[in-house]
Amino acid sequence: MNAYNFAYLDEQTKRMIRRALLKGLAIPGYQVPFASREMPMPYGWGTGGVQVSAAVLTPEDTFKVIDQGADDTTNAVSIRTFFQRTAGVATTTVTHDATVIQTRHRIPEEALGEGQILVYQVPIPEPLRFLEPRESETRKMHSLEEYGLMHVKLYEDISRHGHIATSYAYPVKVEGRYVMDPSPIPKFDNPKLGDMAAIQLFGAGREQRIYALPPYTQVVSLDFEDHPFEATKADHPCGMCGAQDSYLDELIIDDAGGRMFVCSDTDYCEARQAAGHKGKDAA
Amino acid sequence: MQADTLSGGFADPSIGSSHAFRAVMEAMARPGTVHGISGAVPPAPLSPAAGTVLLTLCDTETPVYLAGAADCEAVRVWLAFHTGAPLVGPAECMFAVGTWDAVVPLSSYPVGTSQYPDRSATLIVERPDLCATGAALTGPGIKDQAALSLPEVAAFHSNRALFPLGLDFLFTSGDCVAALPRTTKVS
Amino acid sequence: MYVAVKGGERAIENAHAWLAEERRGNTDIAELGIAQIREQLSLAVNRVMAEGSLYDPDLAALAIKQARGDLIEAIFLIRAYRTTLPRFGASEPVDTGAMACDRRISATFKDLPGGQVLGPTFDYTHRLLDFKLAADGDVPEAPARAAETGDVPHVTGFLNREGLIEEARHDDTPPRDLTREPLEMPADRPLRLQALTRADEGFTLGLAYSTQRGYGRNHAFVGELRIGAVPVEMDIPELGFAIEIGEVTLTECETVNQFTGSKTEPPQFTRGYGLVFGQTERKAISMALVDRALRWEELGEDNVGAPAQDAEFVLYHADNIQATGFLEHIKLPHYVDFQSELELVRKLRREAGVDQVQEAAE
């Protein structure tokens, strides 16, 4: 792959993305338009995250990629291989060894530190999109801080179901100003968004938007006084490592309704097992 | 063309700019922190840090305003050769570079629009030195409180009041960079 | 005991190896050459160049071979390659009036200066499978005559001379570049035309057809359709003048559409415009109809709520590379999101007492 520039993108494209990242950090939660390029993987498969990673990586970085919390899901493998080839960076599956982590749909269980950058792949960056399909309208709503529609939607959920029926991509308000889509992470992960020591960068390639959360930024999940936000997970311990506090995948293990629950964060689970923790389904 | 026009760029543009950008991004993400930055050797009066920032972020798509002493033949030619950035006045610029006395008043720069607050200028302000003492900073990117040797307080106070519009600042000195985004409260 | 599924890397490598084998097919059959694709599947090559936004027949042919004939996949390969190319500058606007036309027809005038030239068209072929092609591909030589020289004037120019058609405003402002700037609404006509020229042929065709059936009808006549080569010139600052750097084949369609007029302005026909790389006339005509439909606002027409009048709808959904990527991404794992929905649904059912009722019934 020597025919390509370091980290694949040409320098002019990287500069354009870097400028957008800086403005994103300066206006937390605001979606900065950027001229997303066609990447060698399909739109919707992490092109936004890949472009952001390409713009921030240095040769000294250690790179980790997770999809659904796991390092070995096929698309995570594919993106990790892409940067091994085009940027020659070291890769790892160990969360605390990574300097740049690209993720789809999860925030690692282990708290991230100051030397780390978390890059999210974002499919639909506009939190108001499913309430108002027109970009020209949603942009106006953000500029006027007109978020009533979102509250109405959440409240309709409550009157119909008794609960807010949004379980992932749960909207947040950043520093009391912009309502932001945290990407389709389960709402279990929402409390980790605020006051994080690491830099969080969000890239939506097809929708041509970049946004960011600087470290230690105030991020509040939208809720109501009588229906406070609740981070939920399956009410089980991990079958492999016994963790009580991690987000779990549910696996169907036979055709008689048998199932088990396992940490979605594979590094977290493996580290706990290596340290001697054992769940009820472990060998 | 002069030899020093052609020289002073990154030895390896993609690697050099990747390091420089990380310094700038860390600075912007953590207001008040001072980071080493190098790679470019611009003509006087620009500091290596300011020159490196310009080469990292500017190209033909970014109008640049050279303020005060920075607006000299040597800098103009160097910047044109290495970035191709069009030179403009403060009202049209995406980036401005100069000392504090040269870049003020801040009212001359674009602060973005309510629908596109990102369309605002970033000012690269050359400082005699940079250290983590002086004005107290709070806001996104800062755990409790930070400090930075700022040229003054009032201007940043008014800039903060424009949020989500406003200007963002990079401070350069020698081979160091620090930053102050519009979100930072200065007191 | 449960063992986590591992080996994503190995699975991907094996899948790629299998794919390569399938692409080649039966090795007893001669391998398809790039030149064969370029010469004999040239309309596929043209579509890939048009929607890939890169004029290079050899690369398009390679992409078609690599994509096993899946043209959207081939367009994707070309787009991704295009991203890596440095941009040296912009050409001068091409002059389609100076086109060396292979085909030039007008549906509005029986005869006109420059003549009607049918050219290599399927139009009047009887769509009967030609079994001779299955046996051997030799073709008798087509009769030839010397090419007409000189410019071929545009039909709309004749109408314009009488003031019968709206004036095409001359504007030297460099248009915004869709491939270098994020799409922004409202999009002006140059930006819309850029999006349409690389838009999916099927999507554009469907929208254009919908206008003919009444969803934003605009009574289009094909004023002119022309296909041929035009020179591309680029201004070289060091030289101080423009030089020819090559030529491209283009299909241009100008439609003459329903007239507008008011008490103060006399009635005039209006225009729709299509310009596409290669011989791609279905696409060019579709583009012109959709372009015209999108102009409702500037022409003072009613928005009847037709899909083809809705610029945001058209432009955000016309790109097949964006569309296919996002559509196909739902194949990717969504365990985490699904799990969170599963828990929510279980909780709501529990609270609604549904599960207890079922248990009692069992």
Side-chain angles (χ1 to χ4, degrees), chain A residues 200-220:
Chain A
Q200 300 175 77
L201 306 174
F202 298 78
R206 191 178 38 78
E207 298 281 339
Q208 307 190 309
R209 297 290 182 273
I210 278 173
Y211 51 106
L213 294 172
Y216 311 115
T217 294
Q218 187 205 69
V219 180
V220 178

PDB file of all heavy atoms in Angstrom, chain A residues 200-220:
ATOM      1  N   GLN A 200     -13.251  13.012  23.030  1.00  0.00           N
ATOM      2  CA  GLN A 200     -14.200  12.214  22.249  1.00  0.00           C
ATOM      3  C   GLN A 200     -14.501  12.923  20.933  1.00  0.00           C
ATOM      4  O   GLN A 200     -14.932  14.073  20.921  1.00  0.00           O
ATOM      5  CB  GLN A 200     -15.494  12.011  23.051  1.00  0.00           C
ATOM      6  CG  GLN A 200     -15.257  11.282  24.368  1.00  0.00           C
ATOM      7  CD  GLN A 200     -16.524  11.191  25.206  1.00  0.00           C
ATOM      8  OE1 GLN A 200     -17.398  10.380  24.929  1.00  0.00           O
ATOM      9  NE2 GLN A 200     -16.617  12.043  26.219  1.00  0.00           N
ATOM     10  N   LEU A 201     -14.277  12.212  19.834  1.00  0.00           N
ATOM     11  CA  LEU A 201     -14.494  12.767  18.502  1.00  0.00           C
ATOM     12  C   LEU A 201     -15.514  11.901  17.774  1.00  0.00           C
ATOM     13  O   LEU A 201     -15.467  10.674  17.861  1.00  0.00           O
ATOM     14  CB  LEU A 201     -13.176  12.780  17.712  1.00  0.00           C
ATOM     15  CG  LEU A 201     -11.991  13.474  18.393  1.00  0.00           C
ATOM     16  CD1 LEU A 201     -10.720  13.283  17.566  1.00  0.00           C
ATOM     17  CD2 LEU A 201     -12.271  14.957  18.606  1.00  0.00           C
ATOM     18  N   PHE A 202     -16.434  12.538  17.064  1.00  0.00           N
ATOM     19  CA  PHE A 202     -17.515  11.825  16.383  1.00  0.00           C
ATOM     20  C   PHE A 202     -17.447  12.126  14.892  1.00  0.00           C
ATOM     21  O   PHE A 202     -17.423  13.291  14.503  1.00  0.00           O
ATOM     22  CB  PHE A 202     -18.874  12.273  16.927  1.00  0.00           C
ATOM     23  CG  PHE A 202     -19.078  11.997  18.396  1.00  0.00           C
ATOM     24  CD1 PHE A 202     -18.507  12.814  19.357  1.00  0.00           C
ATOM     25  CD2 PHE A 202     -19.841  10.908  18.814  1.00  0.00           C
ATOM     26  CE1 PHE A 202     -18.687  12.565  20.715  1.00  0.00           C
ATOM     27  CE2 PHE A 202     -20.036  10.647  20.163  1.00  0.00           C
ATOM     28  CZ  PHE A 202     -19.455  11.471  21.118  1.00  0.00           C
ATOM     29  N   GLY A 203     -17.437  11.065  14.072  1.00  0.00           N
ATOM     30  CA  GLY A 203     -17.357  11.262  12.624  1.00  0.00           C
ATOM     31  C   GLY A 203     -18.507  10.576  11.915  1.00  0.00           C
ATOM     32  O   GLY A 203     -18.727   9.380  12.086  1.00  0.00           O
ATOM     33  N   ALA A 204     -19.257  11.354  11.107  1.00  0.00           N
ATOM     34  CA  ALA A 204     -20.342  10.801  10.294  1.00  0.00           C
ATOM     35  C   ALA A 204     -19.989  11.071   8.828  1.00  0.00           C
ATOM     36  O   ALA A 204     -20.114  12.196   8.356  1.00  0.00           O
ATOM     37  CB  ALA A 204     -21.667  11.468  10.661  1.00  0.00           C
ATOM     38  N   GLY A 205     -19.519  10.039   8.138  1.00  0.00           N
ATOM     39  CA  GLY A 205     -18.989  10.216   6.782  1.00  0.00           C
ATOM     40  C   GLY A 205     -20.065  10.524   5.761  1.00  0.00           C
ATOM     41  O   GLY A 205     -19.989  11.519   5.050  1.00  0.00           O
ATOM     42  N   ARG A 206     -21.068   9.679   5.681  1.00  0.00           N
ATOM     43  CA  ARG A 206     -22.115   9.850   4.671  1.00  0.00           C
ATOM     44  C   ARG A 206     -22.866  11.145   4.901  1.00  0.00           C
ATOM     45  O   ARG A 206     -23.252  11.829   3.962  1.00  0.00           O
ATOM     46  CB  ARG A 206     -23.059   8.645   4.758  1.00  0.00           C
ATOM     47  CG  ARG A 206     -24.043   8.484   3.653  1.00  0.00           C
ATOM     48  CD  ARG A 206     -24.857   7.216   3.891  1.00  0.00           C
ATOM     49  NE  ARG A 206     -25.126   7.057   5.316  1.00  0.00           N
ATOM     50  CZ  ARG A 206     -26.060   7.731   5.992  1.00  0.00           C
ATOM     51  NH1 ARG A 206     -26.847   8.556   5.370  1.00  0.00           N
ATOM     52  NH2 ARG A 206     -26.213   7.557   7.294  1.00  0.00           N
ATOM     53  N   GLU A 207     -23.091  11.493   6.150  1.00  0.00           N
ATOM     54  CA  GLU A 207     -23.841  12.699   6.472  1.00  0.00           C
ATOM     55  C   GLU A 207     -22.934  13.930   6.568  1.00  0.00           C
ATOM     56  O   GLU A 207     -23.394  15.039   6.860  1.00  0.00           O
ATOM     57  CB  GLU A 207     -24.607  12.517   7.784  1.00  0.00           C
ATOM     58  CG  GLU A 207     -25.653  11.400   7.727  1.00  0.00           C
ATOM     59  CD  GLU A 207     -26.948  11.821   7.028  1.00  0.00           C
ATOM     60  OE1 GLU A 207     -27.210  13.025   6.936  1.00  0.00           O
ATOM     61  OE2 GLU A 207     -27.683  10.917   6.572  1.00  0.00           O
ATOM     62  N   GLN A 208     -21.638  13.734   6.386  1.00  0.00           N
ATOM     63  CA  GLN A 208     -20.673  14.838   6.307  1.00  0.00           C
ATOM     64  C   GLN A 208     -20.672  15.745   7.533  1.00  0.00           C
ATOM     65  O   GLN A 208     -20.735  16.974   7.421  1.00  0.00           O
ATOM     66  CB  GLN A 208     -20.941  15.675   5.047  1.00  0.00           C
ATOM     67  CG  GLN A 208     -20.987  14.820   3.780  1.00  0.00           C
ATOM     68  CD  GLN A 208     -21.001  15.661   2.528  1.00  0.00           C
ATOM     69  OE1 GLN A 208     -21.805  16.576   2.394  1.00  0.00           O
ATOM     70  NE2 GLN A 208     -20.107  15.383   1.607  1.00  0.00           N
ATOM     71  N   ARG A 209     -20.620  15.130   8.707  1.00  0.00           N
ATOM     72  CA  ARG A 209     -20.590  15.912   9.939  1.00  0.00           C
ATOM     73  C   ARG A 209     -19.523  15.382  10.898  1.00  0.00           C
ATOM     74  O   ARG A 209     -19.330  14.170  11.002  1.00  0.00           O
ATOM     75  CB  ARG A 209     -21.943  15.843  10.664  1.00  0.00           C
ATOM     76  CG  ARG A 209     -23.105  16.438   9.905  1.00  0.00           C
ATOM     77  CD  ARG A 209     -23.018  17.956   9.814  1.00  0.00           C
ATOM     78  NE  ARG A 209     -24.161  18.522   9.133  1.00  0.00           N
ATOM     79  CZ  ARG A 209     -24.235  18.676   7.810  1.00  0.00           C
ATOM     80  NH1 ARG A 209     -23.230  18.331   7.032  1.00  0.00           N
ATOM     81  NH2 ARG A 209     -25.314  19.198   7.270  1.00  0.00           N
ATOM     82  N   ILE A 210     -18.888  16.329  11.600  1.00  0.00           N
ATOM     83  CA  ILE A 210     -17.939  15.996  12.661  1.00  0.00           C
ATOM     84  C   ILE A 210     -18.378  16.754  13.903  1.00  0.00           C
ATOM     85  O   ILE A 210     -18.786  17.923  13.805  1.00  0.00           O
ATOM     86  CB  ILE A 210     -16.506  16.415  12.245  1.00  0.00           C
ATOM     87  CG1 ILE A 210     -15.890  15.344  11.336  1.00  0.00           C
ATOM     88  CG2 ILE A 210     -15.612  16.669  13.460  1.00  0.00           C
ATOM     89  CD1 ILE A 210     -14.554  15.742  10.747  1.00  0.00           C
ATOM     90  N   TYR A 211     -18.326  16.105  15.060  1.00  0.00           N
ATOM     91  CA  TYR A 211     -18.551  16.840  16.298  1.00  0.00           C
ATOM     92  C   TYR A 211     -17.685  16.253  17.387  1.00  0.00           C
ATOM     93  O   TYR A 211     -17.055  15.209  17.193  1.00  0.00           O
ATOM     94  CB  TYR A 211     -20.025  16.919  16.674  1.00  0.00           C
ATOM     95  CG  TYR A 211     -20.822  15.640  16.703  1.00  0.00           C
ATOM     96  CD1 TYR A 211     -21.195  15.052  17.908  1.00  0.00           C
ATOM     97  CD2 TYR A 211     -21.253  15.037  15.527  1.00  0.00           C
ATOM     98  CE1 TYR A 211     -21.980  13.892  17.944  1.00  0.00           C
ATOM     99  CE2 TYR A 211     -22.021  13.886  15.550  1.00  0.00           C
ATOM    100  CZ  TYR A 211     -22.378  13.317  16.750  1.00  0.00           C
ATOM    101  OH  TYR A 211     -23.140  12.178  16.781  1.00  0.00           O
ATOM    102  N   ALA A 212     -17.629  16.946  18.523  1.00  0.00           N
ATOM    103  CA  ALA A 212     -16.630  16.549  19.512  1.00  0.00           C
ATOM    104  C   ALA A 212     -17.064  16.921  20.916  1.00  0.00           C
ATOM    105  O   ALA A 212     -17.896  17.811  21.122  1.00  0.00           O
ATOM    106  CB  ALA A 212     -15.303  17.249  19.185  1.00  0.00           C
ATOM    107  N   LEU A 213     -16.480  16.210  21.857  1.00  0.00           N
ATOM    108  CA  LEU A 213     -16.608  16.559  23.270  1.00  0.00           C
ATOM    109  C   LEU A 213     -15.194  16.676  23.826  1.00  0.00           C
ATOM    110  O   LEU A 213     -14.463  15.681  23.861  1.00  0.00           O
ATOM    111  CB  LEU A 213     -17.362  15.461  24.035  1.00  0.00           C
ATOM    112  CG  LEU A 213     -18.833  15.241  23.682  1.00  0.00           C
ATOM    113  CD1 LEU A 213     -19.372  14.002  24.389  1.00  0.00           C
ATOM    114  CD2 LEU A 213     -19.656  16.466  24.061  1.00  0.00           C
ATOM    115  N   PRO A 214     -14.797  17.868  24.256  1.00  0.00           N
ATOM    116  CA  PRO A 214     -13.509  17.978  24.925  1.00  0.00           C
ATOM    117  C   PRO A 214     -13.572  17.186  26.244  1.00  0.00           C
ATOM    118  O   PRO A 214     -14.664  16.831  26.691  1.00  0.00           O
ATOM    119  CB  PRO A 214     -13.359  19.472  25.204  1.00  0.00           C
ATOM    120  CG  PRO A 214     -14.411  20.148  24.427  1.00  0.00           C
ATOM    121  CD  PRO A 214     -15.505  19.154  24.199  1.00  0.00           C
ATOM    122  N   PRO A 215     -12.434  16.914  26.860  1.00  0.00           N
ATOM    123  CA  PRO A 215     -12.471  16.230  28.155  1.00  0.00           C
ATOM    124  C   PRO A 215     -13.272  17.063  29.156  1.00  0.00           C
ATOM    125  O   PRO A 215     -13.393  18.279  29.009  1.00  0.00           O
ATOM    126  CB  PRO A 215     -10.997  16.190  28.572  1.00  0.00           C
ATOM    127  CG  PRO A 215     -10.225  16.430  27.326  1.00  0.00           C
ATOM    128  CD  PRO A 215     -11.080  17.257  26.433  1.00  0.00           C
ATOM    129  N   TYR A 216     -13.773  16.406  30.175  1.00  0.00           N
ATOM    130  CA  TYR A 216     -14.448  17.093  31.291  1.00  0.00           C
ATOM    131  C   TYR A 216     -15.542  18.055  30.817  1.00  0.00           C
ATOM    132  O   TYR A 216     -15.639  19.191  31.251  1.00  0.00           O
ATOM    133  CB  TYR A 216     -13.416  17.861  32.141  1.00  0.00           C
ATOM    134  CG  TYR A 216     -12.235  17.018  32.496  1.00  0.00           C
ATOM    135  CD1 TYR A 216     -10.961  17.326  32.017  1.00  0.00           C
ATOM    136  CD2 TYR A 216     -12.379  15.885  33.294  1.00  0.00           C
ATOM    137  CE1 TYR A 216      -9.875  16.530  32.316  1.00  0.00           C
ATOM    138  CE2 TYR A 216     -11.294  15.080  33.595  1.00  0.00           C
ATOM    139  CZ  TYR A 216     -10.041  15.411  33.101  1.00  0.00           C
ATOM    140  OH  TYR A 216      -8.978  14.615  33.385  1.00  0.00           O
ATOM    141  N   THR A 217     -16.334  17.576  29.852  1.00  0.00           N
ATOM    142  CA  THR A 217     -17.443  18.388  29.361  1.00  0.00           C
ATOM    143  C   THR A 217     -18.730  17.904  30.013  1.00  0.00           C
ATOM    144  O   THR A 217     -18.901  16.709  30.242  1.00  0.00           O
ATOM    145  CB  THR A 217     -17.523  18.277  27.826  1.00  0.00           C
ATOM    146  OG1 THR A 217     -16.361  18.880  27.272  1.00  0.00           O
ATOM    147  CG2 THR A 217     -18.760  18.960  27.263  1.00  0.00           C
ATOM    148  N   GLN A 218     -19.619  18.852  30.288  1.00  0.00           N
ATOM    149  CA  GLN A 218     -20.888  18.490  30.913  1.00  0.00           C
ATOM    150  C   GLN A 218     -21.849  17.922  29.859  1.00  0.00           C
ATOM    151  O   GLN A 218     -22.173  18.595  28.883  1.00  0.00           O
ATOM    152  CB  GLN A 218     -21.505  19.734  31.564  1.00  0.00           C
ATOM    153  CG  GLN A 218     -22.733  19.408  32.383  1.00  0.00           C
ATOM    154  CD  GLN A 218     -23.645  20.615  32.500  1.00  0.00           C
ATOM    155  OE1 GLN A 218     -24.260  21.054  31.535  1.00  0.00           O
ATOM    156  NE2 GLN A 218     -23.733  21.152  33.710  1.00  0.00           N
ATOM    157  N   VAL A 219     -22.245  16.677  30.063  1.00  0.00           N
ATOM    158  CA  VAL A 219     -23.150  16.005  29.134  1.00  0.00           C
ATOM    159  C   VAL A 219     -24.306  15.430  29.938  1.00  0.00           C
ATOM    160  O   VAL A 219     -24.093  14.632  30.847  1.00  0.00           O
ATOM    161  CB  VAL A 219     -22.426  14.868  28.378  1.00  0.00           C
ATOM    162  CG1 VAL A 219     -23.379  14.170  27.413  1.00  0.00           C
ATOM    163  CG2 VAL A 219     -21.207  15.399  27.643  1.00  0.00           C
ATOM    164  N   VAL A 220     -25.528  15.848  29.620  1.00  0.00           N
ATOM    165  CA  VAL A 220     -26.698  15.423  30.400  1.00  0.00           C
ATOM    166  C   VAL A 220     -27.678  14.702  29.478  1.00  0.00           C
ATOM    167  O   VAL A 220     -28.066  15.235  28.441  1.00  0.00           O
ATOM    168  CB  VAL A 220     -27.388  16.649  31.041  1.00  0.00           C
ATOM    169  CG1 VAL A 220     -28.631  16.213  31.810  1.00  0.00           C
ATOM    170  CG2 VAL A 220     -26.419  17.391  31.952  1.00  0.00           C
TER     171      VAL A 220
END
